[in-house]
């Protein structure tokens, strides 16, 4: 089991969708990275993602890792946000038969899973239909 | 650079080897490779293992393996690039012999996966993805390849049946390989009715959990000639990387690292896709084989599904792919897979392919991939 520092250092990204925008080429990076993967510039500014986008691909996980056993089956998708970047998260509040690529989603703050026997709650973002 | 050849190969039966330990599986295989090469002395070793730490709680296996093979104090490195660790061991050994630092190098791969439960194995394999931004959201490896499959089906009209045909072909080949974990045939119907794992991928689209090892002996070409053994040269080696997270690729159906590694290997060997007689690729999931054939230029972008449907990649097709049964039927002890691919190609080029022999095979290629495509090794082999 990891110490809490591993969890809280990701909070700005997971709770507030903080990303970096390259000041040289304009590429947006989520999660933030120190060097731009498009132009190698190190000049970044902090931005917050709009949280609006559409589903590029999705699947339904029927055989989950152990920390998600109580949630299966659940949908996970890739969504492309307005800023042109993609991220991976669960798609919730949507019956499986209504899932489709191109569907508009917004990113909401939710509980993601419960860690270990002590039941520490791990939060983050999920996609919900718009 | 010196020309490098594969002098010997070793592989034992793969499967759920409850009675055998990691060290003994490796040593049996390594001894077979030494015997096949007809030598008893090696200068160094490189062994690929994805996660001996998570699978058996044992790191530092470089010295565990030299110790139990009885070859201390020779140097040994354990190398890791997820499921492509075996391919990396090959490349590392190849570079060492080519540059003249060593003459005889054993390259191997090992994974002992059945000492942990299924969900722990799923977790260990999942560590090849981005733990903070993929794994954290509950996506699994079948899930990542399912995202690729879904996108490929929508973009190129690849069908569910075409995915199943990859499994059917590879199991058909595997039924002719006595070392395979699952040496039996399956039908399209059987694949389409097997248990759903991550839509649209079913269990018969997935490679299994396997215990196994593989080993090969590399040396300068002149040494093989002196011994009067068949000369199987390593003529091309390519290694490339891509984003660890699938989400960070512009087109999730395109395996850029495979394309880049292939380009390097083709260039070094001065070969084109149409020169390849026999090919082993990383079919960890049925969709992977389809995407790999596209990235290696064997077929055009989007035509990977058609390739299997039209029989291009069958045993009697224009370019037989995964004559060993692939990861699908032969099994996928992750770190060992890259070396097992070499063994199949060497057997084919030597004419030792038995019932699955490809006629007049002179040029072979291997493609070994880590994670959802974040790393890839491609090698080309030629019979002299
Ligand atoms: Zn930039």
């Amino acid at each position: 089991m990891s110490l809490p520092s591993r969890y809280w250092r990701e909070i700005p990204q997971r709770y507030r969708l903080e990303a970096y925008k390259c000041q040289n080429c304009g590429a947006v990076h989520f999660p933030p990275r120190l060097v731009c993967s498009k132009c190698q510039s190190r000049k970044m500014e902090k931005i917050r993602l709009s949280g609006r986008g559409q589903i590029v691909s999705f699947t339904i996980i029927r055989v989950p890792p152990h920390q998600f056993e109580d949630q299966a089956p659940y949908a996970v998708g890739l969504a492309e946000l307005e800023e042109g970047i993609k991220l991976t998260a669960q798609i919730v509040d949507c019956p499986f038969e209504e899932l489709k690529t191109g569907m508009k989603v917004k990113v909401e703050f939710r509980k993601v899973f419960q860690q270990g026997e002590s039941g520490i709650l791990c939060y983050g973002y999920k996609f919900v239909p718009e | 650079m010196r020309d490098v050849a594969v002098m010997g190969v070793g592989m034992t039966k793969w499967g759920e080897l409850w009675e055998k330990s990691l060290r003994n599986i490796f040593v049996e295989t390594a001894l077979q490779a030494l015997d096949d090469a007809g030598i008893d002395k090696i200068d160094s070793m490189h062994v690929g293992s994805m996660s001996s730490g998570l699978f058996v709680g044992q790191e530092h296996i470089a010295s565990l393996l030299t110790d139990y093979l009885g070859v201390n104090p020779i140097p040994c490195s354990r190398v890791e690039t997820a499921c492509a660790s075996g391919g990396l061991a090959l490349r590392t050994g190849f570079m060492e012999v080519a540059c003249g630092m060593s003459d005889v190098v054993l390259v191997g791969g090992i994974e002992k996966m059945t000492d942990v439960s299924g969900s722990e194995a799923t977790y260990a394999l999942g560590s090849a993805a981005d733990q903070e931004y993929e794994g954290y959201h509950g996506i699994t490896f079948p899930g990542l390849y399912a995202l690729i499959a879904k996108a490929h089906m929508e973009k190129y009209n690849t069908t569910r049946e075409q995915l199943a045909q990859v499994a059917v072909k590879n199991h058909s080949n595997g039924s002719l390989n006595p070392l395979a974990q699952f040496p039996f045939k399956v039908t399209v119907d059987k694949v389409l009715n097997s248990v759903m794992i991550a839509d649209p991928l079913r269990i018969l689209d997935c490679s299994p959990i396997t215990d196994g090892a593989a080993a090969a002996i590399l040396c300068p070409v002149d040494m093989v000639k002196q011994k009067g053994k068949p000369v199987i040269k390593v003529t091309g080696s390519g290694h490339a990387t891509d984003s660890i997270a699938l989400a960070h690729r512009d087109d999730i159906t395109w395996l850029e690292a495979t394309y880049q590694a292939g380009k390097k290997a083709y260039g070094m060997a001065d070969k084109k896709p149409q020169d390849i007689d026999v090919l082993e690729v990383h079919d960890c999931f049925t969709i992977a084989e389809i995407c790999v054939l596209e990235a290696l230029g064997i077929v055009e972008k989007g035509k990977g599904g058609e390739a299997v449907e039209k029989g291009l990649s069958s045993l009697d097709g224009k370019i037989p792919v995964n004559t060993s049964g692939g990861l699908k039927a032969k099994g996928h002890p992750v770190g060992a897979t890259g070396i097992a691919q070499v063994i199949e190609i060497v057997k084919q080029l030597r004419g030792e392919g038995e019932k699955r022999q490809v006629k007049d095979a002179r040029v072979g290629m291997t493609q070994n991939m880590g994670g959802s495509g974040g790393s890839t090794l491609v090698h080309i082999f030629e019979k002299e």
Side-chain angles (χ1 to χ4, degrees), chain A residues 99-118:
Chain A
L99 290 167
K100 57 177 197 294
T101 54
M103 72 188 274
K104 295 235 187 306
V105 290
K106 59 177 191 270
V107 179
E108 283 196 356
F109 180 72
R110 298 287 176 99
K111 184 187 109 181
V112 179
F113 64 95
Q114 204 162 318
Q115 199 180 57
E117 283 164 16
S118 51

Side-chain angles (χ1 to χ4, degrees), chain A residues 21-29 35-44:
Chain A
K21 184 173 184 180
C22 174
Q23 288 189 286
N24 181 49
C25 77
V28 175
H29 299 289
V35 181
C36 177
S37 52
K38 303 281 182 206
C39 76
Q40 277 69 51
S41 162
R42 302 173 197 180
K43 281 191 181 155
M44 297 282 182

Side-chain angles (χ1 to χ4, degrees), chain B residues 60-217:
Chain B
H60 200 194
I61 64 169
S63 105
L64 175 79
L65 300 180
T66 52
D67 186 3
Y68 279 80
L69 186 57
V71 294
N72 287 350
I74 68 158
C76 177
S77 62
R78 173 243 179 130
V79 297
E80 188 272 317
T81 178
C83 323
S85 300
L88 181 57
L90 169 69
R91 180 172 159 93
T92 312
F94 167 74
M95 293 191 293
E96 187 173 331
V97 175
C99 76
M101 285 279 284
S102 296
D103 285 331
V104 185
V105 176
L106 186 150
V107 293
I110 172 85
E111 217 74 59
K112 170 73 186 163
M113 302 172 74
T114 65
D115 278 355
V116 294
S117 69
S119 79
E120 283 171 291
T122 301
Y123 174 79
L125 292 169
S127 67
D130 185 334
Q131 286 282 47
E132 305 294 357
Y133 291 91
E134 294 184 313
Y136 187 84
H137 296 280
I139 191 129
T140 57
F141 255 95
L144 288 166
Y145 278 92
L147 294 175
I148 296 175
K150 171 92 181 152
H152 203 280
M153 290 164 90
E154 294 204 353
K155 187 170 182 183
Y156 298 115
N157 296 317
T158 301
T159 65
R160 197 27 281 206
E161 284 71 23
Q162 288 170 340
L163 296 177
Q165 280 156 354
V166 173
V168 171
K169 168 181 72 72
N170 292 350
H171 269 284
S172 171
N173 294 346
S175 73
L176 305 174
N177 182 356
L179 300 181
Q181 181 177 12
F182 295 120
F184 52 73
K185 293 185 179 185
V186 299
T187 60
V188 168
D189 257 9
K190 197 171 171 194
V191 178
L192 296 183
N193 290 304
S194 64
V195 174
M196 191 71 90
I197 302 293
D199 312 37
L201 299 182
R202 295 172 180 271
I203 191 141
L204 286 177
D205 289 296
C206 309
S207 54
I209 302 275
T210 312
D211 297 328
I217 308 291

